[in-house]
Amino acid sequence: MQLHVKGKNLEVSDSIRDYAERKLAKLEKTLHATTRVELELAVERNPSVAANQVAEATIWLKGHTLRAREATRDMKASIDELTEKLLRQVREEREKKTSKRRSVDKHLNGDTSAEE
């Protein structure tokens, strides 16, 4: 997995970058090594918005693009919640592929039990 961390309206510190890399490393188990992941950390300038620490991520998969956005009062909490969203999206994407593959295999093998 190729991870790119960038900041918008803020300078990304080494501690936040390391934290994000450590949290998003959970995705490495399910993603291909050449998959590109881009994480953008931002601070909303609007004073009426309480949850102004924003983390957005984009994952470019083969044929699909996954996006997630999370905003809280704390950047580390935003990264945590964003990671959970991405893990769920990647898991659902993998399940879609395997369920389609199984249905095609049943059809090709002549399994007619579902038709009866």
Side-chain angles (χ1 to χ4, degrees):
M1 177 178 85
Q2 301 169 359
L3 177 64
H4 301 283
V5 181
K6 61 183 182 177
K8 181 179 177 184
N9 296 334
L10 86 145
E11 185 68 33
V12 180
S13 66
D14 289 338
S15 64
I16 291 289
R17 183 181 305 274
D18 291 340
Y19 185 79
E21 288 174 356
R22 211 171 44 244
K23 286 296 184 175
L24 291 172
K26 295 177 183 179
L27 294 170
E28 286 184 358
K29 298 174 188 174
T30 56
L31 296 177
H32 192 268
T34 60
T35 302
R36 196 174 85 196
V37 178
E38 185 176 285
L39 175 65
E40 183 175 307
L41 306 174
V43 176
E44 296 284 334
R45 298 287 188 190
N46 189 347
S48 65
V49 177
N52 64 345
Q53 305 290 318
V54 180
E56 295 182 20
T58 306
I59 301 176
W60 286 275
L61 298 173
K62 190 175 186 179
H64 298 283
T65 302
L66 303 177
R67 293 187 55 84
R69 181 181 197 274
E70 193 60 46
T72 62
R73 292 177 183 243
D74 180 38
M75 187 60 77
K76 289 185 178 181
S78 294
I79 293 170
D80 289 343
E81 293 178 22
L82 176 82
T83 303
E84 294 304 316
K85 280 185 178 181
L86 290 173
L87 285 169
R88 181 182 50 80
Q89 286 182 10
V90 169
R91 191 177 329 109
E92 288 174 356
E93 192 66 34
R94 289 178 66 94
E95 288 172 0
K96 279 184 195 177
K97 284 183 180 180
T98 57
S99 67
K100 285 181 182 178
R101 190 177 307 137
R102 286 183 190 145
S103 66
V104 168
D105 288 345
K106 284 182 183 178
H107 182 69
L108 292 176
N109 291 334
D111 185 12
T112 57
S113 62
E115 296 175 2
E116 295 176 355

